[in-house]
Each structure stands twice: as C-alpha cells, then as structure tokens.
Short mmCIF file of all heavy atoms in Angstrom, two decimals:
data_model
loop_
_atom_site.label_atom_id
_atom_site.label_comp_id
_atom_site.label_asym_id
_atom_site.label_seq_id
_atom_site.Cartn_x
_atom_site.Cartn_y
_atom_site.Cartn_z
N LEU A 1 163.82 207.40 142.10
CA LEU A 1 164.68 208.22 141.25
C LEU A 1 164.71 209.63 141.81
O LEU A 1 163.66 210.23 142.03
CB LEU A 1 164.17 208.25 139.81
CG LEU A 1 163.95 206.91 139.11
CD1 LEU A 1 163.38 207.14 137.71
CD2 LEU A 1 165.25 206.12 139.03
N THR A 2 165.90 210.17 142.05
CA THR A 2 166.06 211.55 142.51
C THR A 2 166.56 212.39 141.34
O THR A 2 167.63 212.12 140.78
CB THR A 2 167.04 211.64 143.68
OG1 THR A 2 166.57 210.82 144.76
CG2 THR A 2 167.17 213.08 144.17
N LEU A 3 165.76 213.39 140.98
CA LEU A 3 166.04 214.24 139.83
C LEU A 3 166.34 215.64 140.31
O LEU A 3 165.51 216.27 140.97
CB LEU A 3 164.83 214.24 138.89
CG LEU A 3 164.96 214.91 137.53
CD1 LEU A 3 165.95 214.15 136.66
CD2 LEU A 3 163.60 214.98 136.84
N SER A 4 167.54 216.15 140.01
CA SER A 4 167.95 217.49 140.42
C SER A 4 167.67 218.48 139.31
O SER A 4 168.07 218.27 138.16
CB SER A 4 169.45 217.51 140.77
OG SER A 4 169.71 216.67 141.87
N ASN A 5 166.99 219.58 139.66
CA ASN A 5 166.63 220.60 138.67
C ASN A 5 167.76 221.63 138.58
O ASN A 5 167.63 222.75 139.07
CB ASN A 5 165.31 221.26 139.06
CG ASN A 5 164.80 222.20 137.99
OD1 ASN A 5 165.36 222.27 136.90
ND2 ASN A 5 163.75 222.93 138.29
N MET A 6 168.86 221.22 137.95
CA MET A 6 170.03 222.08 137.81
C MET A 6 170.51 222.03 136.37
O MET A 6 170.30 221.05 135.65
CB MET A 6 171.15 221.62 138.75
CG MET A 6 170.78 221.68 140.22
SD MET A 6 172.18 221.16 141.27
CE MET A 6 171.44 221.32 142.91
N GLU A 7 171.19 223.10 135.95
CA GLU A 7 171.69 223.18 134.58
C GLU A 7 172.68 222.07 134.28
O GLU A 7 172.67 221.50 133.18
CB GLU A 7 172.33 224.55 134.34
CG GLU A 7 171.32 225.71 134.36
CD GLU A 7 171.98 227.04 134.10
OE1 GLU A 7 173.22 227.05 133.88
OE2 GLU A 7 171.28 228.07 134.11
N LYS A 8 173.55 221.75 135.24
CA LYS A 8 174.54 220.69 135.01
C LYS A 8 173.88 219.33 134.86
O LYS A 8 174.52 218.37 134.42
CB LYS A 8 175.55 220.66 136.15
CG LYS A 8 174.96 220.30 137.51
CD LYS A 8 176.05 220.28 138.59
CE LYS A 8 175.48 219.88 139.94
NZ LYS A 8 176.53 219.88 141.00
N ASN A 9 172.61 219.24 135.23
CA ASN A 9 171.85 217.99 135.11
C ASN A 9 170.92 218.02 133.91
O ASN A 9 170.03 217.19 133.79
CB ASN A 9 171.05 217.72 136.39
CG ASN A 9 170.61 216.28 136.51
OD1 ASN A 9 171.37 215.37 136.19
ND2 ASN A 9 169.38 216.08 136.95
N GLY A 10 171.09 219.02 133.03
CA GLY A 10 170.26 219.12 131.84
C GLY A 10 168.97 219.86 132.04
O GLY A 10 168.14 219.91 131.12
N LEU A 11 168.76 220.47 133.22
CA LEU A 11 167.51 221.16 133.50
C LEU A 11 167.77 222.62 133.85
O LEU A 11 168.10 223.42 132.99
CB LEU A 11 166.75 220.44 134.62
CG LEU A 11 166.20 219.06 134.25
CD1 LEU A 11 165.70 218.31 135.47
CD2 LEU A 11 165.09 219.20 133.23
N GLY A 12 167.58 223.03 135.11
CA GLY A 12 167.76 224.42 135.49
C GLY A 12 166.63 225.30 135.01
O GLY A 12 166.82 226.46 134.67
N ILE A 13 165.40 224.73 134.96
CA ILE A 13 164.21 225.46 134.52
C ILE A 13 163.11 225.24 135.54
O ILE A 13 163.15 224.28 136.33
CB ILE A 13 163.74 224.98 133.13
CG1 ILE A 13 163.59 223.45 133.13
CG2 ILE A 13 164.71 225.42 132.05
CD1 ILE A 13 163.17 222.86 131.81
N SER A 14 162.10 226.10 135.56
CA SER A 14 160.98 225.94 136.48
C SER A 14 160.10 224.80 135.98
O SER A 14 159.57 224.86 134.86
CB SER A 14 160.18 227.23 136.57
OG SER A 14 160.98 228.27 137.07
N LEU A 15 159.93 223.78 136.81
CA LEU A 15 159.13 222.62 136.42
C LEU A 15 157.77 222.68 137.09
O LEU A 15 157.68 222.61 138.32
CB LEU A 15 159.85 221.33 136.82
CG LEU A 15 161.21 221.08 136.16
CD1 LEU A 15 161.84 219.82 136.71
CD2 LEU A 15 161.07 221.00 134.65
N PRO A 16 156.68 222.82 136.32
CA PRO A 16 155.34 222.83 136.92
C PRO A 16 155.00 221.47 137.52
O PRO A 16 155.58 220.45 137.17
CB PRO A 16 154.42 223.15 135.73
CG PRO A 16 155.31 223.62 134.64
CD PRO A 16 156.65 222.98 134.87
N ALA A 17 154.05 221.47 138.44
CA ALA A 17 153.58 220.21 139.00
C ALA A 17 152.87 219.39 137.92
O ALA A 17 152.29 219.93 136.99
CB ALA A 17 152.62 220.49 140.16
N GLY A 18 152.94 218.07 138.05
CA GLY A 18 152.27 217.22 137.08
C GLY A 18 152.57 215.76 137.31
O GLY A 18 153.24 215.37 138.27
N LYS A 19 152.06 214.94 136.42
CA LYS A 19 152.28 213.49 136.47
C LYS A 19 153.50 213.15 135.64
O LYS A 19 153.67 213.66 134.53
CB LYS A 19 151.06 212.73 135.96
CG LYS A 19 151.23 211.21 136.02
CD LYS A 19 149.96 210.48 135.58
CE LYS A 19 149.81 210.53 134.08
NZ LYS A 19 148.73 209.64 133.59
N VAL A 20 154.36 212.27 136.18
CA VAL A 20 155.55 211.81 135.46
C VAL A 20 155.36 210.35 135.10
O VAL A 20 155.27 209.49 135.98
CB VAL A 20 156.82 211.99 136.31
CG1 VAL A 20 158.05 211.56 135.51
CG2 VAL A 20 156.96 213.43 136.79
N GLU A 21 155.29 210.07 133.81
CA GLU A 21 155.22 208.70 133.33
C GLU A 21 156.64 208.23 133.04
O GLU A 21 157.42 208.94 132.41
CB GLU A 21 154.36 208.61 132.07
CG GLU A 21 152.90 209.01 132.31
CD GLU A 21 152.08 208.98 131.04
OE1 GLU A 21 152.69 208.86 129.95
OE2 GLU A 21 150.86 209.08 131.13
N ILE A 22 156.99 207.03 133.50
CA ILE A 22 158.36 206.53 133.40
C ILE A 22 158.40 205.33 132.46
O ILE A 22 157.57 204.41 132.57
CB ILE A 22 158.89 206.16 134.80
CG1 ILE A 22 158.77 207.37 135.75
CG2 ILE A 22 160.34 205.70 134.71
CD1 ILE A 22 159.11 207.06 137.18
N TYR A 23 159.36 205.35 131.55
CA TYR A 23 159.52 204.29 130.56
C TYR A 23 160.96 203.79 130.58
O TYR A 23 161.88 204.51 130.96
CB TYR A 23 159.18 204.81 129.15
CG TYR A 23 157.76 205.29 129.00
CD1 TYR A 23 157.40 206.57 129.40
CD2 TYR A 23 156.79 204.47 128.45
CE1 TYR A 23 156.09 207.03 129.26
CE2 TYR A 23 155.48 204.91 128.30
CZ TYR A 23 155.14 206.19 128.71
OH TYR A 23 153.84 206.63 128.57
N ALA A 24 161.13 202.55 130.17
CA ALA A 24 162.47 201.95 130.05
C ALA A 24 162.58 201.27 128.70
O ALA A 24 161.58 200.81 128.13
CB ALA A 24 162.73 200.96 131.18
#
C-alpha cells in the first residue's frame, strides 16, 4: 500500500514514525 501524505489524500500533516496495524 502506498500512502501519500497530502491534503488531497486526507492527510497533509507530519506523521511520526510508528507501527501501522492494517485491518479489513
């Protein structure tokens, strides 16, 4: 999964390092 840290993608904020748990 490629996640873009941009406002048009719902983000555009500084994301700290960490673990990402993925659910479906």
